Amino acid sequence: MPFISVDTWTLIFTWVNLLILFFIVKKLFMKPIQKMLDDRNAEVQSVYAGADAAEKAANEMKDTYEKKLSGAEEEAAQIVSNAVESASNRSDSIVKEAEDKAAGMIERAQKTIEAQKESAYAELKGDVSSMAVEIAQKIIEKDIDESDHEKLIAEALEGLGGSNE
């Protein structure tokens, strides 16, 4: 027999054994392996679906947050606007009140000045009247010449100067 030979029956028997072994392995192991691969694929799909759902939820939360943030910014702007308007109104009322008080003080001062002016005028009128009466009495009491007349005027003026001091 030669060192290497091909036996046809051995070759056929090997092929038949290989086919039988293939069908047995396929029957016993392929279904569980396929099931395990399908389960793994379903799990991966589930993880992807969960990730997509989480991403969608995160995007919705982000949109809600941005809407709330813009609403808060608008509210803050409105609060600032209201505060500025209130401060402006208060400032205007304080200025108006101060102007009214100043106008009242000026009016009272003018009335006081006018009253003092009238009082001084009345006092001066009284002094002038009494002086005129005194001069008339002195003139009537004596017959005066021009030098006496000047002397009486000087005395009257001196009497005026003395009453003011």
Side-chain angles (χ1 to χ4, degrees):
M1 273 199 127
F3 183 64
I4 296 184
S5 67
V6 175
D7 187 17
T8 321
W9 286 106
T10 306
L11 190 61
I12 292 174
F13 182 71
T14 304
W15 276 101
V16 169
N17 276 334
L18 185 64
L19 283 176
I20 291 172
L21 185 61
F22 175 74
F23 285 118
I24 290 173
V25 168
K26 184 179 177 187
K27 187 71 170 173
L28 293 178
F29 295 115
M30 286 307 274
K31 284 186 181 181
I33 291 174
Q34 187 62 39
K35 183 179 183 301
M36 185 177 69
L37 289 175
D38 288 343
D39 290 345
R40 180 69 180 147
N41 190 20
E43 184 180 336
V44 167
Q45 292 301 324
S46 164
V47 168
Y48 279 134
D52 288 342
E55 182 181 13
K56 183 177 178 183
N59 286 335
E60 287 175 0
M61 288 173 60
K62 178 184 170 194
D63 291 342
T64 303
Y65 173 74
E66 287 174 351
K67 287 178 184 176
K68 286 182 180 179
L69 183 61
S70 69
E73 289 172 350
E74 291 173 6
E75 185 177 346
Q78 183 65 35
I79 288 171
V80 168
S81 173
N82 289 344
V84 166
E85 184 178 338
S86 174
S88 176
N89 290 341
R90 180 67 179 140
S91 172
D92 290 345
S93 71
I94 289 171
V95 168
K96 178 151 179 37
E97 185 178 318
E99 287 173 349
D100 291 346
K101 282 183 180 180
M105 290 173 71
I106 290 171
E107 186 178 335
R108 283 191 304 274
Q110 286 175 342
K111 285 181 181 178
T112 303
I113 290 170
E114 189 64 34
Q116 288 178 352
K117 183 177 166 184
E118 287 177 12
S119 172
Y121 180 71
E123 187 179 331
L124 183 62
K125 190 175 177 184
D127 287 347
V128 169
S129 297
S130 66
M131 260 194 333
V133 168
E134 284 179 25
I135 291 173
Q137 283 177 350
K138 286 183 182 180
I139 290 175
I140 291 175
E141 289 177 1
K142 48 178 156 168
D143 192 17
I144 57 171
D145 59 2
E146 191 173 323
S147 67
D148 288 338
H149 181 66
E150 286 179 13
K151 188 176 172 185
L152 282 174
I153 291 175
E155 287 176 6
L157 288 177
E158 190 177 305
L160 267 180
S163 66
N164 283 340
E165 293 176 7

